[in-house]
Amino acid sequence: MDLPSEATADMAKTFKELKEDFVANLPGGEISEINYVTAVTPAAVILWSALQSRLSFFTPYTPQAFVVDFLLNCCAILFATTVYAANPILLNILLLTPALLLCLVKPRKKQGGPTKKTKPREPQSNGSIPPSTNPLPKKRFLTVYRGCMLVATCMAILAVDFPIFPRRFAKVETWGSSLMDLGVGSFVFSAGVASARVTTTTTVQQQPQQQQQKKYSRRSRNLVGRLVASAFHAFPLLLLGLFRLMSMKRLDYPEHMTEYGMHWNFFFTLAALLPCAAVFQALFDFVPSYALMSVVVAAAYNHWLENTDLKTFILTAPRVDFLSCNREGIFSFLGYLAIHLAGQSAGTYILPRTPPPKLPSRRSTTTTTTTTTTTSIYAYIKQLYILNSLLAYLLFSSLAWTLLFRISTSSPRLSTVLFGSYSPSISRRLANLSYILWVVSYNTTQLLIFYLIEIFFFPSSSSPSNTTTSSAVAAQRHDKEDEQGVPPILRAFNRNGLVLFMLANLLTGLVNLSINTLDVGDIGALAVLVAYMLGLAGVATYASLRDLEVRM
């Protein structure tokens, strides 16, 4: 009577080992191939934007529009990592060719008769944002960027369990680059961009009363208050991490031990980022650059790796206590903190609505001195430069981070001078300097690409006159119009990203417990993955249409 149970236990153990071996000891692939594959997401957005701007295809949002939206913004990246994995350039061509043809069509004008031209109001003389206007409006290209990242992340966490998903795209064991390694860092960078919304709110909106502004500023600088607030937001993530840990141990679910360790998981990393980010917010008063803090943290951590026994400890130490059992997750946290700070740096510049230019007074008399007039004109020109500098900032940021990445991997002397160490190989397991700079350079470049797409297809949302209008009503109407230029599925993923990420993890576990993914053929795997993505997209879109949003 005991023999069948023992045989079953041996079979189950063998199956678990097979699942673990399927995602272990992988070398990764080339960065150029990863760029070709991920280029499918902006290519799909270009086609979506061409359909919307030229044909208003997605207005109104009918079931037919939902299907096309799903095919472009969910299935395109799925096909790029499965069916077209061997030739992603072909898929990019198939997406961009109809988009280029649609660009020959003149954009449709908005329905409605001609309106009377009214004399525009002068911007407010105090150069501040109207109190009723949202100082941190939703940026179209930022919503698209975060939505694409979340869709790709949710897709990959299940696709990696099927043979149709190439092993070179799965997480690397120690040294090398892969699509999923990039996805983990991109999730943290995106979280850093979003977290800047909290830290920037108090600085972009000028209060009418100086006394209230000083009082609010003092409260915002309270480190204890920040830590309490961050702990409150980190608590749900901590619970999710504990739930994942207990469920995996109880179900004897296959684990990749060298990914984060024996007990650690990605939710613990996300939870720990919040209070640490609060500490660095306090340091911002003394070092007013999150980018500089990011580089300092990355350089210090990499110097620790390369000039001490820390790297050897992380890679080879026996697992005998809590620290050694979870060494990958604990020490790689410093690298993810640097990525988070870099994302926060981008967010503090991208998110705010720039106040309208302060025009020189028209009522200046002859007694006004030439110096005053010159100063006013200079201030006006300076603010106009600020209004149009977002593109310049994104371009500079992309080039600067890419240059730093190239230096860290190919120039030993210069890297040692700038960072105090040299790490030619990328390692997500260590989250070393090369990995940090690769993730940041990639994501800043993605932000630049999506902003260029917005400028070309929907230039009204990028123009300073609209973005900085002095009328609160006009600004709110403009923010509403911007939603028409964002793929609804991507907007839906962006609104409830963390909840959908958690749901994707639950569905991934359910699928793996229900079927043997290792024995599923390509057609069956593709059917499961399409159904899985359709379920996530359906839940996200339904929640968005119902205006349901869960904040953590």
Side-chain angles (χ1 to χ4, degrees), residues 114-175:
T115 57
K116 295 182 180 180
K117 293 183 178 181
T118 58
K119 185 178 180 180
R121 297 179 181 179
E122 289 186 12
Q124 294 179 353
S125 59
N126 62 356
S128 63
I129 299 172
S132 58
T133 304
N134 181 11
L136 299 175
K138 294 181 179 179
K139 299 297 181 71
R140 175 185 295 165
F141 76 97
L142 189 57
T143 300
V144 173
Y145 154 76
R146 282 175 51 84
C148 288
M149 184 274 303
L150 288 166
V151 167
T153 301
C154 293
M155 177 276 302
I157 60 177
L158 177 60
V160 69
D161 294 323
F162 291 91
I164 194 175
F165 190 84
R167 296 300 87 195
R168 63 184 182 277
F169 293 162
K171 290 179 181 178
V172 173
E173 184 69 20
T174 301
W175 305 106

Side-chain angles (χ1 to χ4, degrees), residues 357-521:
K358 183 179 180 180
L359 290 170
S361 175
R362 292 185 177 182
R363 296 183 179 180
S364 58
T365 61
T366 55
T367 57
T368 303
T369 62
T370 306
T371 304
T372 304
T373 304
T374 303
T375 303
S376 300
I377 294 175
Y378 171 77
Y380 178 58
I381 294 175
K382 182 179 179 181
Q383 292 188 33
L384 283 179
Y385 168 77
I386 294 174
L387 296 179
N388 295 278
S389 62
L390 179 55
L391 178 60
Y393 166 78
L394 291 174
L395 179 60
F396 172 79
S397 182
S398 173
L399 292 175
W401 286 109
T402 302
L403 178 61
L404 291 177
F405 168 61
R406 295 301 179 186
I407 290 174
S408 70
T409 56
S410 58
S411 180
R413 291 184 179 180
L414 192 54
S415 178
T416 303
V417 171
L418 291 177
F419 308 115
S421 59
Y422 175 59
S423 54
S425 300
I426 295 173
S427 175
R428 176 207 46 81
R429 183 178 177 183
L430 300 173
N432 63 352
L433 178 66
S434 300
Y435 175 73
I436 295 167
L437 295 177
W438 175 45
V439 169
V440 177
S441 63
Y442 172 83
N443 281 274
T444 51
T445 303
Q446 286 290 102
L447 286 170
L448 172 64
I449 292 173
F450 285 120
Y451 187 56
L452 289 173
I453 295 173
E454 175 182 315
I455 290 175
F456 182 82
F457 288 101
F458 307 100
S460 61
S461 67
S462 316
S463 61
S465 59
N466 283 334
T467 313
T468 60
T469 177
S470 61
S471 169
V473 176
Q476 292 171 1
R477 183 175 65 250
H478 177 264
D479 294 343
K480 186 69 175 178
E481 290 175 353
D482 274 357
E483 295 183 0
Q484 301 298 323
V486 177
I489 285 181
L490 298 184
R491 183 170 64 246
F493 268 84
N494 181 61
R495 292 188 65 179
N496 291 288
L498 191 57
V499 174
L500 292 170
F501 180 69
M502 179 183 66
L503 178 61
N505 277 273
L506 292 175
L507 291 177
T508 297
L510 181 62
V511 170
N512 276 275
L513 292 174
S514 302
I515 61 176
N516 181 5
T517 57
L518 300 182
D519 295 335
V520 179

Side-chain angles (χ1 to χ4, degrees), residues 5-15:
S5 61
E6 293 178 0
T8 303
D10 292 339
M11 291 177 61
K13 182 179 179 180
T14 304
F15 175 71

Side-chain angles (χ1 to χ4, degrees), residues 194-205:
S195 69
R197 182 173 294 274
V198 177
T199 60
T200 311
T201 303
T202 59
T203 60
V204 297
Q205 188 171 10

Side-chain angles (χ1 to χ4, degrees), residues 11-26 160-162 167 170-173 244 248-249 251-259 261-262 319 428 512 516-518:
M11 291 177 61
K13 182 179 179 180
T14 304
F15 175 71
K16 180 183 177 182
E17 291 175 351
L18 288 174
K19 296 280 286 187
E20 292 174 347
D21 292 341
F22 189 62
V23 295
N25 301 315
L26 301 177
V160 69
D161 294 323
F162 291 91
R167 296 300 87 195
K171 290 179 181 178
V172 173
E173 184 69 20
R244 177 180 173 83
M248 293 188 70
K249 298 299 183 183
L251 297 173
D252 198 27
Y253 195 81
E255 298 179 83
H256 191 188
M257 191 71 67
T258 59
E259 186 175 350
M262 187 176 295
R319 302 182 188 273
R428 176 207 46 81
N512 276 275
N516 181 5
T517 57
L518 300 182

